[in-house]
Amino acid sequence: MVVPRHDMPLHESVKHISNIYKNIGKTLMQKSGVTARYVNEIGAMTLTMDKPEQGLDMIQDAINHLELKAGEDFHLILNCAAQEWFDYEKGKYEVAAGVMKGLDDMVDFWSDLLQRYPSIIGLIDPIRKQEKEQWMNLCDAVSEKCYIIGDYVWHRPGLLKDEELEDSFKTSGVVFRYENMNQVSDVTLCSQKMKDAANQIMVSACQGESPDTFLADLAVGVDAMFIKIGGSARGERVAKLNRLLQIEDTLKEQCNLAKWTEHVFPKISPPPPPEEEQEGEGSTDQIEPIEKKDSPIKKK
């Protein structure tokens, strides 16, 4: 997912995003033929790569080809979806073809990748929620330079709105979808709830989308920092981009078009370990002495 510079106008951003997408398509077609440009239902090109660096290099090359600079004009957010490449039999993550990483190794894996690709400003579901300790260790290591965004690690808005957030698991961003099981009020309530918990909001399209453009209005309405609608191909996604441009023009005419500030990444640290009770300390309850009573049996 490419993210334009915070002060880049939307009409300019959309033009660059479309050109980046086209440039990647041309590169793939030259290497693998016309079939490499086939896309799935979310507009993503269905190519196979052995390691994540191949895709990152291709995107950054496309940005540089347009005389833009990765890390300044455009940033990257990775939809990691760690639950999709977790090997349940081995209990490890397959981070590249034939390369397995243990649970504790994932913190170093993502830290190293961010070190080599500073243009990355967000990771979506980099680790499964079941590994809470490793998740929080990753937050402690990299949260000051990128967003740690939760998607499937959180329940849908209809359930999340009534759940209590725990200190043992935190994020700095959250993905919301407008699906059949969620009402608009669920998304708006959860957006405010997660903002109060220092999270940025990302509104995402669903698989099997229609040309309906309400998602763009919803993203603006909840003051989302990011919108994820897939590749800039096919009418389902182009319609939403056009609607965003219409909203920008309307707000500009009304002099209500706000400007985004630079990204601020909140520091997320693991909760402190529980204090151990010192020896000799414990419950303050004391056993009361049993009062000795005379036996009701009369002594002879």
Side-chain angles (χ1 to χ4, degrees):
M1 169 178 176
V2 292
V3 179
R5 190 179 66 243
H6 70 279
D7 58 350
M8 184 180 293
L10 182 62
H11 67 276
E12 184 179 346
S13 303
V14 171
K15 180 184 68 175
H16 288 319
I17 291 171
S18 179
N19 289 334
I20 292 170
Y21 185 84
K22 292 177 181 178
N23 187 274
I24 293 174
K26 290 180 180 179
T27 301
L28 291 175
M29 189 171 62
Q30 292 172 357
K31 292 182 178 180
S32 306
V34 67
T35 56
R37 295 198 62 177
Y38 290 170
V39 300
N40 59 16
E41 59 183 359
I42 62 172
M45 298 177 191
T46 55
L47 63 157
T48 302
M49 295 184 177
D50 296 327
K51 53 184 180 178
E53 288 86 349
Q54 292 174 293
L56 293 172
D57 291 338
M58 186 180 299
I59 296 172
Q60 293 195 151
D61 288 343
I63 294 173
N64 296 333
H65 181 77
L66 299 174
E67 298 182 354
L68 300 169
K69 190 169 183 179
E72 293 185 8
D73 298 308
F74 273 89
H75 302 278
L76 303 177
I77 293 181
L78 305 186
N79 188 9
C80 309
Q83 71 279 358
E84 298 292 336
W85 36 283
F86 182 76
D87 191 318
Y88 288 87
E89 293 182 357
K90 299 179 180 178
K92 295 182 177 181
Y93 293 91
E94 188 173 6
V95 298
V99 180
M100 309 298 294
K101 293 287 186 180
L103 304 182
D104 294 327
D105 297 329
M106 293 302 295
V107 176
D108 293 334
F109 170 76
W110 288 120
S111 299
D112 175 67
L113 192 68
L114 292 173
Q115 186 70 28
R116 291 185 287 119
Y117 293 88
S119 59
I120 299 174
I121 62 166
L123 301 174
I124 304 176
D125 287 356
I127 301 176
R128 300 187 311 152
K129 186 176 183 179
Q130 288 86 337
E131 288 83 61
K132 287 186 177 181
E133 180 182 352
Q134 288 78 14
W135 180 286
M136 294 302 294
N137 289 339
L138 177 64
C139 290
D140 189 38
V142 305
S143 61
E144 289 184 299
K145 54 186 176 183
C146 83
Y147 296 109
I148 306 298
I149 303 172
D151 187 353
Y152 289 102
V153 298
W154 293 113
H155 288 141
R156 61 181 178 86
L159 300 175
L160 181 59
K161 65 179 181 179
D162 299 320
E163 295 178 354
E164 183 177 353
L165 302 180
E166 301 177 355
D167 290 336
S168 60
F169 186 84
K170 293 183 178 181
T171 59
S172 52
V174 59
V175 179
F176 289 137
R177 292 177 177 81
Y178 180 52
E179 302 172 306
N180 291 334
M181 294 184 292
N182 298 320
Q183 299 179 355
V184 175
S185 59
D186 295 335
V187 178
T188 56
L189 287 173
C190 282
S191 295
Q192 189 57 53
K193 176 179 181 177
M194 298 307 289
K195 284 181 182 178
D196 293 341
N199 280 259
Q200 295 295 343
I201 307 302
M202 176 184 292
V203 174
S204 173
C206 308
Q207 292 186 351
E209 276 288 307
S210 70
D212 183 79
T213 61
F214 175 71
L215 192 75
D217 294 81
L218 180 63
V220 176
V222 299
D223 196 25
M225 176 171 282
F226 308 109
I227 182 170
K228 182 162 71 79
I229 60 176
S232 57
R234 299 175 52 167
E236 301 96 302
R237 287 163 292 281
V238 174
K240 295 174 178 60
L241 290 174
N242 289 337
R243 175 56 184 158
L244 286 173
L245 292 172
Q246 292 175 352
I247 295 174
E248 182 190 44
D249 291 338
T250 300
L251 293 176
K252 191 181 296 184
E253 291 175 359
Q254 299 173 352
C255 298
N256 290 326
L257 185 62
K259 293 184 179 180
W260 283 105
T261 58
E262 293 186 9
H263 296 287
V264 177
F265 307 110
K267 172 67 174 178
I268 302 177
S269 301
E275 296 182 0
E276 297 181 359
E277 295 181 353
Q278 297 181 0
E279 186 177 357
E281 295 183 358
S283 176
T284 57
D285 297 336
Q286 297 181 353
I287 301 176
E288 297 181 358
I290 300 175
E291 183 180 353
K292 192 174 183 180
K293 298 181 179 180
D294 293 336
S295 173
I297 302 176
K298 294 182 179 180
K299 296 182 180 179
K300 295 182 180 181

